[in-house]
Amino acid sequence: MRKKLTLVIIVVGLLLASIAGYFVLRSLSPTTEDYTPPEPVYKYGICIDSLKVVDSHVQPGETLSTLLQKFFIDQQTINTLVQKSRGVFDVRRIRAGNRFSMLCLDDSLQTPRYFIYEDTPTKYIVFRLTDSLVVYSGEKEVERRVMSTSGTISSSLWNSMIDKGLHPTLALELSDVFAWAIDFFAIQKNDSYRLVYEQIYLEGKPLNIGRILSACFSHVGKEYYAFYFTQDGKGDYFDQDANSLRKAFLKAPLKFSRISSHFSSSRLHPVLRIRRPHHGVDYAAQTGTPVLTIGEGTVTKAHYSGGAGKMVEVRHNSTYTSQYLHLSKFGNGIRPGVRVSQGQVIGYVGSTGLSTGPHLDFRVYRNGGAINPLTVESPPSEPVKTANREEFLRLMQLEKARLDSLRVAG
């Protein structure tokens, strides 16, 4: 009897120990309900958990063919990819120094599955190398953070921002916002600025400047405000009274004319009989036809200039400049340093310089670079619409309070 009792006690003890051990192990090990699988990892919108990633940079002289041949991709496949890339990406634009990635199967053959070329820091082109060859483009996600800054000018707006470690583009953007109100060639020491803007981040690192949301520029003791506001799907800058900060250009510098030659990067010159860029628009008109400045500004040139003949240059602001070539004569009082108003006669059509007949060669420059005068988007000069005025004033008051709270830094 005692042996049986002892045996029962041993069996029960072992059973209890097993049960206790089970629960101890269960408490130490995650259950199916508690287990959370790791998040899949994506690159260029592709799950790379089971892929091997090879990152590199395009070397001088390398093309799509030479890059893909490094991974033993045959020429027929490359030719098909080139055909499929039409309308998506011009493979001739692959540039040395740009990044690329090859995504391969993580096997002994490392079979290529995707080739990705980064056209810009944010835009990439995907060449899918599976049975169904496909080429498409994608965009990396960027983060926009709202930042603010302020400063006092001792030498120039550019130097002020560079000294503060700000992105140099910010100086250009700010001067463009106030281009019609302030002559940035004439800003003075102790002028100051306060602004709220977007800083664009890519993969946690600052990439570029986004939009300026609001700004205040103090010039010779007068404060100029600018507030970005969107109406009817289009955004622009307005002052605290809801008036546009921009002024419109005239559509053309002549009232009666026809276009005889367009803006071109390679035009056969009618006199020299060689091909070279023509960074203007030619208006055919009779000699003596009045030529009008498309906007108010300051005359910076009014002289005879070789092949351009008699020409006038007008600086409208720190962004835009216009030129008027082959004039027969200048308008009354037109000389360097003179202020002119929009629509004022600055000269008359002629055929001076390298010219085969009377016409006006009209040119427009933005930040020193020639642009097609016919595609210049004349900035809107209308104020905020009545229907949107209440919404604008609410936004303006919030932004103005934020600007006014900024301390002007040295």
Side-chain angles (χ1 to χ4, degrees):
M1 184 70 180
R2 182 177 297 176
K3 289 182 178 179
K4 289 184 178 180
L5 181 60
T6 302
L7 183 60
V8 168
I9 293 173
I10 292 172
V11 170
V12 171
L14 291 172
L15 180 62
L16 291 175
S18 298
I19 294 173
Y22 167 78
F23 282 106
V24 169
L25 290 174
R26 190 167 186 264
S27 66
L28 295 175
S29 303
T31 64
T32 303
E33 294 81 3
D34 296 333
Y35 176 71
T36 302
E39 290 289 331
V41 178
Y42 286 86
K43 188 171 185 177
Y44 306 110
I46 302 167
C47 181
I48 60 172
D49 287 345
S50 60
L51 298 174
K52 180 178 181 180
V53 180
V54 179
D55 294 321
S56 189
H57 291 81
V58 179
Q59 301 302 310
E62 288 188 321
T63 65
L64 178 65
S65 292
T66 57
L67 290 169
L68 294 180
Q69 286 169 357
K70 287 182 177 180
F71 297 89
F72 306 102
I73 297 174
D74 62 85
Q75 192 59 49
Q76 183 178 350
T77 299
I78 295 172
N79 292 340
T80 303
L81 289 170
V82 171
Q83 292 177 356
K84 289 182 176 289
S85 67
R86 290 172 183 167
V88 179
F89 174 70
D90 185 350
V91 297
R92 294 172 298 180
R93 286 174 43 197
I94 289 181
R95 297 185 298 271
N98 283 28
R99 294 173 56 184
F100 72 86
S101 296
M102 182 64 82
L103 310 186
C104 308
L105 293 180
D106 195 8
D107 57 14
S108 59
L109 297 178
Q110 293 189 8
T111 308
R113 279 293 178 258
Y114 298 89
F115 174 78
I116 299 95
Y117 170 74
E118 295 193 4
D119 189 30
T120 70
T122 58
K123 182 181 178 181
Y124 56 85
I125 312 299
V126 177
F127 297 80
R128 195 171 75 189
L129 307 172
T130 54
D131 294 337
S132 56
L133 300 174
V134 177
V135 180
Y136 61 91
S137 63
E139 293 273 349
K140 295 181 182 179
E141 282 192 25
V142 298
E143 178 189 1
R144 294 176 180 269
R145 302 180 190 175
V146 176
M147 316 284 281
S148 62
T149 190
S150 63
T152 301
I153 296 170
S154 57
S155 58
S156 70
L157 177 61
W158 178 276
N159 289 336
S160 173
M161 291 194 170
I162 293 298
D163 291 344
K164 293 173 65 65
L166 299 171
H167 197 289
T169 303
L170 192 57
L172 299 176
E173 293 292 333
L174 184 62
S175 63
D176 196 40
V177 169
F178 289 107
W180 296 100
I182 301 170
D183 184 354
F184 279 85
F185 287 99
I187 58 175
Q188 299 181 10
K189 185 177 181 179
N190 295 325
D191 284 355
S192 61
Y193 57 88
R194 292 167 279 152
L195 65 148
V196 177
Y197 64 98
E198 294 174 331
Q199 173 75 59
I200 298 176
Y201 283 79
L202 176 63
E203 298 171 349
K205 298 179 181 179
L207 175 66
N208 208 338
I209 297 299
R211 179 177 294 122
I212 291 178
L213 302 176
S214 60
C216 176
F217 199 97
S218 179
H219 176 54
V220 196
K222 181 179 179 180
E223 290 190 329
Y224 298 83
Y225 282 90
F227 304 95
Y228 186 82
F229 183 70
T230 301
Q231 57 178 354
D232 301 332
K234 294 183 179 180
D236 201 14
Y237 292 94
F238 301 87
D239 63 19
Q240 63 265 49
D241 297 319
N243 294 316
S244 174
L245 287 181
R246 305 181 189 271
K247 298 179 182 178
F249 286 132
L250 295 178
K251 290 294 183 182
L254 300 174
K255 290 185 177 180
F256 306 102
S257 62
R258 66 177 177 84
I259 295 176
S260 57
S261 182
H262 286 262
F263 186 95
S264 172
S265 59
S266 178
R267 183 192 71 156
L268 181 63
H269 194 280
V271 175
L272 301 176
R273 308 306 296 172
I274 60 173
R275 289 199 171 273
R276 68 180 192 178
H278 180 245
H279 290 159
V281 171
D282 287 349
Y283 290 89
Q286 294 183 349
T287 298
T289 302
V291 176
L292 317 175
T293 176
I294 59 169
E296 67 177 45
T298 301
V299 176
T300 51
K301 296 178 183 178
H303 57 213
Y304 195 95
S305 181
K310 289 184 178 180
M311 61 92 72
V312 173
E313 180 181 89
V314 177
R315 189 184 74 225
H316 301 288
N317 50 46
S318 57
T319 301
Y320 289 101
T321 300
S322 60
Q323 290 183 345
Y324 311 80
L325 283 59
H326 305 303
L327 303 174
S328 59
K329 62 178 182 178
F330 304 126
N332 291 334
I334 297 302
R335 61 183 182 277
V338 170
R339 289 286 298 178
V340 291
S341 56
Q342 186 180 63
Q344 182 175 335
V345 176
I346 57 172
Y348 299 87
V349 170
S351 187
T352 56
L354 289 176
S355 170
T356 58
H359 73 286
L360 172 71
D361 184 345
F362 170 56
R363 306 187 176 200
V364 176
Y365 296 84
R366 187 180 190 275
N367 292 325
I371 59 176
N372 188 344
L374 299 181
T375 60
V376 174
E377 291 188 8
S378 186
S381 57
E382 297 82 9
V384 173
K385 294 182 178 179
T386 303
N388 303 322
R389 193 174 181 85
E390 184 176 344
E391 180 185 356
F392 168 79
L393 291 176
R394 182 168 57 252
L395 177 142
M396 181 274 293
Q397 290 168 357
L398 290 173
E399 288 294 326
K400 187 174 184 298
R402 179 155 58 172
L403 287 172
D404 291 344
S405 68
L406 296 175
R407 182 178 65 85
V408 177

